[in-house]
Amino acid sequence: MNIYSPSPSRVPSKNSPHCQPVQVHQPTRRRHLGTGLLSLLVLLTLPVVVQAQFIYTTNNGAITITRYTGTGDDVTIPDTTNGLPVTSIGQYAFSSHTSLTNVTIPHGIVNIEDYAFSQCFGLASASIPNSLTNIGVGAFYSCISLATITIPSGVISIGDYAFSACMRLPSVTIPPGVIRIGDSAFSGCTSLTIVSVPSSVISIGNCAFSVAFGGIYGASGNNSLVTITVDPENLNYSSVDGVLFNKSQTTLLQYPAGKLGASYTISNSVTSIAGYAFYGSVSLTNITIPSSVTELGDQAFAECNNLTLVVLPNSVINIGNGAFFFCKSLTTVTIPDGVTSIGDYAFYGCASLTDITIPSSVTNIGSSAFVTSAWGGAYGFTGSSRLAAIMVDLENTNYSSAGGVLFNKNQTTIIQYPAGKVEADYTVPSTVTSIGDYAFYGCTSLTNITIPGTITRIEDYAFSECTNLIRATIPDSVTNIGDAAFYECKSLATVTIPDGVTNIGHFAFYYCTSLTGLYFNGNAPSLDSSDAFDGANNATVYYLPGTTGWGPTFGGRPTALWVPYN
């Protein structure tokens, strides 16, 4: 799961986790040389608004357009070239042509390949012929101005992310004959109001109609989709009151994020709530889950921003990754005895939760499951949390708590210090040998932390966003300071780095704006990159006489000789 906002260059790949913004580099375009393939750059004289330039290949007597090189905003693709039919629009052929506003695709085109029109931000309309049978992966991904499109009756397959993040697309008709609707095919289409699934569809991918993935904008939270209907003759899917299920209604697949109503009761026929099923359903304030449900899928209720109360039945065994991610209003949740696994980021960003009790049955707690004061991309850093205590049933054989702080059973690893604890000082117990990733993330009440000599590594993001932390005592036993370990600890004034530290990670002291001195007791450690002290613009790096590896700057900060007793 990405915690930081995706950059504008990110596009989903065919192999990326569904509904996740993933960095994908556009492939180098190969020059097609050899028998049967001819790569030409031609100027085609067409009866259209502009003369359109194309790069194309020929294969088995048919043309594939591989790149549009013109600058026109209204383009008609030819149906023939040099007497050969144009049958395909190739991968990335028009991708990122932001000036393109309209495209007319001729009869004879059977395939729009992967990412063909992806990130054509100005594309408002596309005329697609009845000859088309396949719409590829991400074919119109993030065409944010696309306001009208008709999927022709010949189409059999709509690829993964095909229309993802087409935020202005108000309606779409999926014609009879479509067999497959890919993963996230219409995710992030926040203007869609109604989707109708025909009887021919045998496969609907994960997050096909979810608000979850809004391309470069992330989840917008303003989805207009209020109902998903399914042809009663469909043998694989059904809908009840606009909610999408499998045919037997044992799996709830998609609750339309724009559906009105503060409360929803899940049918007792349901045994599984699919990943992203309720993602971004901002009208919901409470939900009733029946005792038939055993599993909550990944991000099942993520970003249900107004959800205040959830009662999980005793039948639930697994709480998926990010199941309640950024449910900012959730005040109460009871984890029943029977749950064995709580996934990564399960309650991440749930800033209104006051306490959590882990039952004896839990054998796995994922990374950052209870980081409630958190960074959430478009939401930024929440900066506050009410979570004051994480309690663990004494009979749990894997986890324990002391003073409301979550540890493994023998208390050698501190897993989570609740971000809402109000104490200013904390001394890590001497039994602890490892401070976990994000263990103190966003603990804004902390001003002083004492770390025992049993610790050898400060893990990634361990004290990140502890914005009032003034002093952190790092013991001589520490050899490694992880990525973003003290990220944006804006009150931290000075830090002494022991001589045993051999490595400092990316952004370790990023934007520690009050930091004036970094005092090194040993030789210069290795830096994972030059960004370790980015934003710590007032800091000077001090080193002892006789130590080695120092230059006029270190990690972009000026250096100076340190003589402690003079």
Side-chain angles (χ1 to χ4, degrees), residues 385-388 417-425 444-447:
S385 172
R386 295 177 60 193
L387 186 63
Y417 184 95
K421 281 180 72 69
V422 297
E423 291 82 359
D425 298 330
T444 55
S445 292
L446 277 179
T447 60

Side-chain angles (χ1 to χ4, degrees), residues 104-128:
T104 301
I105 302 170
H107 186 79
I109 296 287
V110 296
N111 187 23
I112 298 176
E113 295 185 11
D114 300 345
Y115 310 108
F117 296 94
S118 64
Q119 296 185 327
C120 289
F121 298 142
L123 184 64
S125 63
S127 175
I128 301 177

Side-chain angles (χ1 to χ4, degrees), residues 64-416:
T64 296
I65 301 293
T66 60
R67 190 64 177 164
Y68 171 65
T69 60
T71 58
D73 59 358
D74 189 348
V75 175
T76 296
I77 297 170
D79 57 359
T80 62
T81 296
N82 292 344
L84 298 176
V86 178
T87 60
S88 292
I89 301 172
Q91 292 187 16
Y92 298 96
F94 289 82
S95 180
S96 300
H97 274 270
T98 55
S99 63
L100 184 67
T101 59
N102 178 68
V103 63
T104 301
I105 302 170
H107 186 79
I109 296 287
V110 296
N111 187 23
I112 298 176
E113 295 185 11
D114 300 345
Y115 310 108
F117 296 94
S118 64
Q119 296 185 327
C120 289
F121 298 142
L123 184 64
S125 63
S127 175
I128 301 177
N130 288 331
S131 56
L132 190 70
T133 61
N134 179 67
I135 300 173
V137 173
F140 293 90
Y141 163 77
S142 204
C143 291
I144 59 175
S145 299
L146 190 64
T148 178
I149 197 161
T150 299
I151 300 173
S153 58
V155 169
I156 297 170
S157 177
I158 300 171
D160 301 347
Y161 298 96
F163 295 94
S164 179
C166 291
M167 300 172 68
R168 295 180 186 173
L169 192 64
S171 63
V172 65
T173 299
I174 301 171
V178 169
I179 294 172
R180 177 183 179 271
I181 301 171
D183 297 321
S184 300
F186 296 93
S187 64
C189 292
T190 53
S191 295
L192 276 180
T193 57
I194 298 173
V195 169
S196 296
V197 178
S199 62
S200 56
V201 172
I202 62 174
S203 175
I204 298 176
N206 296 329
C207 312
F209 308 111
S210 175
V211 69
F213 186 41
I216 64 174
Y217 300 96
S220 68
N222 64 342
N223 199 348
S224 300
L225 185 64
V226 295
T227 187
I228 302 169
T229 65
V230 179
D231 189 304
E233 295 185 8
N234 190 295
L235 299 178
N236 299 279
Y237 299 97
S238 61
S239 66
V240 176
D241 193 26
V243 180
L244 180 64
F245 297 84
N246 65 344
K247 188 64 174 180
S248 60
Q249 297 180 15
T250 56
T251 300
L252 192 156
L253 296 170
Q254 190 70 61
Y255 182 95
K259 188 175 174 64
L260 299 178
S263 302
Y264 183 69
T265 299
I266 297 173
S267 167
N268 58 17
S269 66
V270 173
T271 60
S272 177
I273 299 172
Y276 297 83
F278 289 86
Y279 195 111
S281 297
V282 294
S283 293
L284 283 176
T285 60
N286 65 83
I287 189 159
T288 302
I289 302 173
S291 58
S292 54
V293 171
T294 60
E295 181 174 4
L296 307 183
D298 294 348
Q299 301 205 45
F301 299 96
E303 299 199 28
C304 290
N305 294 335
N306 294 307
L307 190 64
T308 59
L309 175 64
V310 173
V311 177
L312 300 180
N314 291 332
S315 55
V316 171
I317 298 171
N318 180 64
I319 299 173
N321 297 331
F324 296 95
F325 180 86
F326 259 94
C327 289
K328 299 187 295 182
S329 301
L330 189 63
T331 58
T332 303
V333 64
T334 301
I335 300 174
D337 197 359
V339 169
T340 60
S341 180
I342 300 171
D344 299 344
Y345 305 101
F347 296 93
Y348 187 96
C350 293
S352 297
L353 276 178
T354 56
D355 60 83
I356 287 281
T357 299
I358 310 297
S360 61
S361 56
V362 172
T363 59
N364 175 69
I365 296 175
S367 174
S368 308
F370 302 111
V371 176
T372 55
S373 180
W375 178 275
Y379 295 102
F381 178 60
T382 61
S384 63
S385 172
R386 295 177 60 193
L387 186 63
I390 303 172
M391 308 305 294
V392 180
D393 190 296
L394 293 175
E395 295 185 4
N396 190 296
T397 58
N398 297 277
Y399 299 98
S400 63
S401 64
V405 180
L406 178 63
F407 298 84
N408 64 343
K409 186 63 177 180
N410 57 8
Q411 298 190 4
T412 57
T413 298
I414 185 167
I415 297 170
Q416 195 68 60

